[in-house]
Amino acid sequence: MAMSCDHPDLLPLDEALRRLWEALPAPALAEVRAERDDPATDRAAMDGVALRAVEGRAPRRILGTLFAGDDPAAFTVTPGTAVRIMTGAALPPGADAIVPVEQLEADGDSLHPTTDPRPGDHVRRCGDQARAGDLLLPAGTPLNAARVGLRAQEGLPLPGRLRIRVGVASTGDELVPHPAPHQIRDSNGPMLAALAHRLGADVTLRPTLPDDPPALAAALRNPGDIRILMTSGGVSMGDHDHLPAVLKDLGATILFHKIRLKPGKPMLAARLGDLLVLGLPGNPVSAHLNALLFLPVALARLEGRAAPDPWRRARLAAAVKNKGDRPLLHPCRLVEGRLEPLPGKGSADLITLARADACAWIESPGQEAGAKVRYLTIV
Ligand code: AMP
Ligand code: MG
């Protein structure tokens, strides 16, 4: 009797991603207030001279030069004088305008403007951008690079590490460097380490682990200095798929095990103390695609960033069938903005994945040519 191995009650991908997000602690991000007026003094916005606008195009004797960071009290601009000034330097007392280098001419020891300056020209006024105490970002605003910069500007604590430490370990007795016909090389380990690196993690590739519960337990109990462990293999229904039971024995919290996705049904996520274990399926296409879906969410959460949206949209250049009842990620080439499906051979077919640019999301029973679908970019 033909039997479908799909189950309608498998956890939908979006629910699995949400569970992972919520199970991880985000760094506490306090509100950001302006520590002082921004800018804290009138500043030059151009390289030029600082002078009194009221004197128009009259020649000015140069008293000296102010660079960014110089104390402006070194000079006072009085009638008939000016100070050379560089972008970012504080305006000296007496000056009310900057005339840029391009609008100055020399007469002997003096300079004169070639246009009529107006008060405030090329000056960033004190407090122009914010006043001391202004609320700049509410508490809990997710980090991005600009917000890290703003926190640094206001003298607030910064995230301790910019990159999360991730360990990658393959499992399987069949993995050897010089395989006999009944054995294979570890392709997942290097692939997942490269992927984690591309996604911004600080990654180390660990030695492969045997299909041996005590050895797996030892590796999980002593993960070393990592926040996330990505394993591959050992999470399906085979007699050697020990990882779920080992994790349970160690008292781990299983966030989910088995999701509604093809390839990738056996996907497992668990918390063991502070360690997040992403138990990826062993088949290389499943391992890659599930890492591509789950690792960015974990990294974003732990780094205090907003939840990422990896999906882009494009039209299919040809129809794709989905005979199962799980959504299918199908490898495609991106040609002139359209997804050209590749004739893939399923979750063990790393050759096709390596030729693909993207994987298209195909709901059962399939999608027609020309349909707009979402896709993941292969990195
Ligand atoms: P498993 O989930 O451990 O039963 O593995 C499923 C399939 O993926 C088996 O055919 C494994 O031999 C294969 N596989 C597991 N780990 C790796 C790996 N690190 N590199 C390549 N293939 C693997
Ligand atoms: Mg295995």
Side-chain angles (χ1 to χ4, degrees):
M1 187 177 73
M3 211 173 75
S4 165
C5 55
D6 286 345
H7 301 288
D9 54 344
L10 285 173
L11 192 68
L13 175 63
D14 286 349
E15 175 65 13
L17 290 166
R18 194 188 61 75
R19 272 195 207 173
L20 176 62
W21 181 259
E22 287 179 1
L24 295 174
L29 294 168
E31 66 183 15
V32 180
R33 286 190 182 269
E35 185 199 26
R36 53 186 195 163
D37 292 347
D38 183 7
T41 63
D42 290 349
R43 298 268 164 91
M46 302 273 286
D47 297 330
V49 300
L51 43 61
R52 290 155 32 92
V54 68
E55 292 173 62
R57 304 190 191 198
R60 316 292 207 283
R61 187 167 56 83
I62 300 301
L63 302 176
T65 304
L66 283 173
F67 293 92
D70 285 351
D71 183 346
F75 304 105
T76 299
V77 175
T78 51
T81 68
V83 171
R84 279 184 195 280
I85 194 161
M86 305 300 142
T87 304
L91 229 63
D96 63 2
I98 306 295
V99 175
V101 173
E102 300 81 352
Q103 293 166 22
L104 290 168
E105 268 176 13
D107 326 289
D109 288 348
S110 303
L111 288 173
H112 72 265
T114 56
T115 57
D116 288 318
R118 289 159 308 173
D121 275 359
H122 307 296
V123 174
R124 289 173 57 215
R125 289 271 184 221
C126 175
D128 226 10
Q129 293 172 165
R131 287 291 176 192
D134 281 358
L135 180 64
L136 307 181
L137 295 174
T141 305
L143 286 178
N144 60 22
R147 294 167 189 164
V148 170
L150 185 60
R151 296 176 76 84
Q153 175 175 294
E154 303 310 325
L156 291 173
L158 298 176
R161 290 188 61 83
L162 288 178
R163 286 172 178 266
I164 303 294
R165 289 212 165 139
V166 174
V168 171
S170 302
T171 73
D173 291 338
E174 72 276 37
L175 308 175
V176 293
H178 303 289
H182 54 280
Q183 297 170 315
I184 57 172
R185 291 196 185 90
D186 172 20
S187 53
N188 289 350
M191 173 177 75
L192 296 170
L195 179 60
H197 178 74
R198 288 295 305 270
L199 296 175
D202 177 0
V203 61
T204 47
L205 180 54
R206 301 277 170 92
T208 59
L209 296 168
D211 289 317
D212 171 46
L216 290 171
L220 289 165
R221 236 188 272 111
N222 305 300
D225 185 17
I226 54 170
R227 194 69 183 69
I228 301 175
L229 177 64
M230 285 209 296
T231 60
S232 66
V235 287
S236 313
M237 302 302 284
D239 291 349
H240 275 175
D241 294 327
H242 301 300
L243 205 57
V246 168
L247 279 164
K248 278 180 205 150
D249 285 351
L250 291 173
T253 306
I254 308 292
L255 306 177
F256 55 83
H257 182 200
K258 297 192 172 48
I259 59 170
R260 237 169 88 72
L261 183 65
K262 188 178 174 149
K265 187 165 82 169
M267 177 69 201
L268 175 150
R271 273 192 71 172
L272 183 60
D274 282 342
L275 181 71
L276 170 69
V277 180
L278 291 178
L280 302 163
N283 270 312
V285 179
S286 317
H288 188 294
L289 296 180
N290 281 271
L292 194 53
L293 286 165
F294 288 98
L295 185 59
V297 169
L299 293 176
R301 180 65 163 174
L302 293 171
E303 290 169 11
R305 290 185 283 115
D309 178 4
W311 300 104
R312 305 179 78 177
R313 277 157 190 83
R315 291 191 190 283
L316 283 173
V320 184
K321 288 202 173 72
N322 177 0
K323 291 181 191 142
D325 58 7
R326 282 173 285 158
L328 171 72
L329 281 170
H330 188 91
C332 298
R333 296 283 296 272
L334 261 175
V335 182
E336 290 168 5
R338 295 199 339 151
L339 292 161
E340 287 188 353
L342 293 169
K345 294 195 173 62
S347 60
D349 183 2
L350 185 55
I351 297 171
T352 299
L353 190 71
R355 291 174 178 160
D357 306 306
C359 275
W361 175 271
I362 310 290
E363 295 275 358
S364 154
Q367 291 283 359
E368 296 305 320
K372 205 166 197 179
V373 296
R374 56 181 185 153
Y375 70 90
L376 293 173
T377 303
I378 300 302
V379 300

